[in-house]
């Protein structure tokens, strides 16, 4: 079947760098379209990065596709409660529904997908395939193919207007409200998007009560939402602000 080559972009530093790389090496990396899985839980700053990617694609006549999950984050939350490290429905039920929709469409075109994914040369533990020969694979890692390491892109990101305010303090971008996020990342969310932070606190609080009413015990981050929120507002936001003052 004919391959459809697409760049999978999240709005983070690696996907933006990868897209710019691919566009300079079209002979090596043929590209039919750029795809973004558009989630309600994306950072506000990363939405601006996606808008910039779409603008770049429009300028050169390249198809840019945004795919949303068929169920909202809150619809799934109402069934399962707030996601946690053992039940990350935010990924396998919510986000990956976008990929399922994409693959269904590609199959309907009697084609097969080949995704360009922004894994770097020093992230081999994340690879599905080895680099070098990807003619029959369903994904490829252009950054790794070109020998580009994550530290190189991180330094580049610190000097990009759309990226620097985040990557001065963090190496990687996840979704807001990620159950795997660090205290510092939660503090950054509280600082930059306080309404969203308070929304998540309420949802976590509801989940703790729901689980307790079922006769089970669960505390967010093993300390409970009230203590977690107190630490963010009393300790971690101050640590973040002190780090920002040094810049």
């Amino acid at each position: 079947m004919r391959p459809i080559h697409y760049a999978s972009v999240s709005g983070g530093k690696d996907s933006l760098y990868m897209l710019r790389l691919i566009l300079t090496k079209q002979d090596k990396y043929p590209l039919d379209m750029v795809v973004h899985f558009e989630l309600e839980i994306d950072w506000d700053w990363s939405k601006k990065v996606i808008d910039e990617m779409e603008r770049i694609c429009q300028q050169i006549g390249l198809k840019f596709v945004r795919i949303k999950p068929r169920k909202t984050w809150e619809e799934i939350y109402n069934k399962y409660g707030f996601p946690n490290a053992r039940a990350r429905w935010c990924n396998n039920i919510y986000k990956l529904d976008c990929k399922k929709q994409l693959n269904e469409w590609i199959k309907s075109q009697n084609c097969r997908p080949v995704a360009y994914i922004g894994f770097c040369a020093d992230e081999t533990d994340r690879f599905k395939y080895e680099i070098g020969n990807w003619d029959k694979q369903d994904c490829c890692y252009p950054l790794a193919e070109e020998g580009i390491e994550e530290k190189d892109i991180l330094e580049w990101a610190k000097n990009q207007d759309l990226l620097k305010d985040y990557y001065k303090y963090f190496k990687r971008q996840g979704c807001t409200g990620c159950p795997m996020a660090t205290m510092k990342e939660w503090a950054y969310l509280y600082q930059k998007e306080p309404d969203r932070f308070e929304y998540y606190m309420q949802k976590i609080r509801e989940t703790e009560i729901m689980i307790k009413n079922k006769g089970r015990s669960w505390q967010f981050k093993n300390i409970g939402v009230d203590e977690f929120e107190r630490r963010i507002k009393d300790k971690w936001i101050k640590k973040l602000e002190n780090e920002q003052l040094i810049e």
Side-chain angles (χ1 to χ4, degrees):
M1 291 189 289
R2 181 179 71 83
I4 289 182
H5 298 87
Y6 70 92
S8 178
V9 297
S10 66
K13 68 184 193 316
D14 297 335
S15 61
L16 178 58
Y17 194 100
M18 179 187 72
L19 177 60
R20 291 183 173 183
L21 171 71
I22 290 172
L23 293 177
T24 65
K25 293 178 176 287
Q26 287 285 274
D27 290 343
K28 184 173 182 179
Y29 304 109
L31 186 61
D32 296 298
M33 60 183 181
V34 177
V35 177
H36 171 60
F37 300 156
E38 191 168 63
L39 309 177
E40 301 149 283
I41 55 177
D42 288 337
W43 288 91
D44 284 348
W45 66 262
S46 71
K47 294 175 184 178
K48 295 177 182 177
V49 176
I50 289 299
D51 289 343
E52 173 63 12
M53 290 184 181
E54 186 172 33
R55 185 191 66 79
I56 293 171
C57 291
Q58 288 174 342
Q59 282 186 332
I60 60 175
L62 180 62
K63 188 176 183 179
F64 190 97
V65 180
R66 298 176 187 242
I67 303 176
K68 295 181 179 180
R70 284 169 281 201
K71 289 187 177 181
T72 67
W73 186 94
E74 187 149 352
E75 283 180 296
I76 306 173
Y77 160 82
N78 288 336
K79 182 176 181 178
Y80 297 106
F82 198 83
N84 59 67
R86 293 186 177 182
R88 293 180 62 192
W89 58 256
C90 48
N91 182 62
N92 54 27
I93 297 177
Y94 179 61
K95 180 179 180 179
L96 290 185
D97 179 62
C98 300
K99 185 176 181 180
K100 184 177 180 181
Q101 293 178 63
L102 175 63
N103 287 341
E104 288 171 353
W105 177 80
I106 292 175
K107 185 178 180 180
S108 74
Q109 305 302 303
N110 294 316
C111 296
R112 63 181 181 88
V114 179
Y116 296 130
I117 299 174
F119 293 165
C120 297
D122 52 344
E123 297 182 286
T124 54
D125 58 320
R126 305 177 73 187
F127 292 3
K128 181 178 178 181
Y129 304 107
E130 293 184 3
I131 62 173
N133 182 12
W134 46 278
D135 288 345
K136 297 182 179 180
Q137 298 172 181
D138 61 2
C139 63
C140 167
Y141 318 115
L143 299 175
E145 293 277 348
E146 302 300 323
I148 299 169
E149 297 187 350
E150 188 176 21
K151 61 179 175 60
D152 302 321
I153 300 180
L154 181 60
E155 289 306 309
W156 168 81
K158 291 177 181 179
N159 294 293
Q160 304 300 309
D161 288 341
L162 287 172
L163 302 171
K164 63 183 181 181
D165 287 343
Y166 183 84
Y167 288 106
K168 284 180 181 178
Y169 312 108
F170 305 101
K171 292 182 178 180
R172 290 184 178 175
Q173 159 238 20
C175 298
T176 64
C178 176
M180 311 300 291
T182 64
M183 300 293 273
K184 183 178 172 182
E185 287 169 319
W186 278 100
Y188 190 83
L189 178 64
Y190 175 56
Q191 181 187 66
K192 300 296 183 180
E193 301 184 45
D195 289 346
R196 195 196 294 263
F197 176 87
E198 297 296 345
Y199 171 80
Y200 288 140
M201 293 302 101
Q202 180 60 34
K203 295 304 179 183
I204 297 168
R205 191 167 283 108
E206 291 173 358
T207 301
E208 289 188 344
I209 294 171
M210 176 188 70
I211 293 175
K212 182 179 180 180
N213 289 341
K214 291 181 178 181
R216 303 199 306 270
S217 177
W218 176 74
Q219 289 187 312
F220 186 66
K221 297 288 188 181
N222 296 318
I223 58 175
V225 64
D226 292 335
E227 176 62 16
F228 174 82
E229 186 174 3
R230 185 192 68 78
R231 292 186 188 184
I232 294 296
K233 294 181 176 180
D234 292 350
K235 176 183 177 181
W236 282 94
I237 190 64
K238 294 176 183 177
K239 293 182 70 170
L240 177 62
E241 289 170 348
N242 288 338
E243 186 175 346
Q244 291 168 334
L245 286 173
I246 298 173
E247 295 296 331

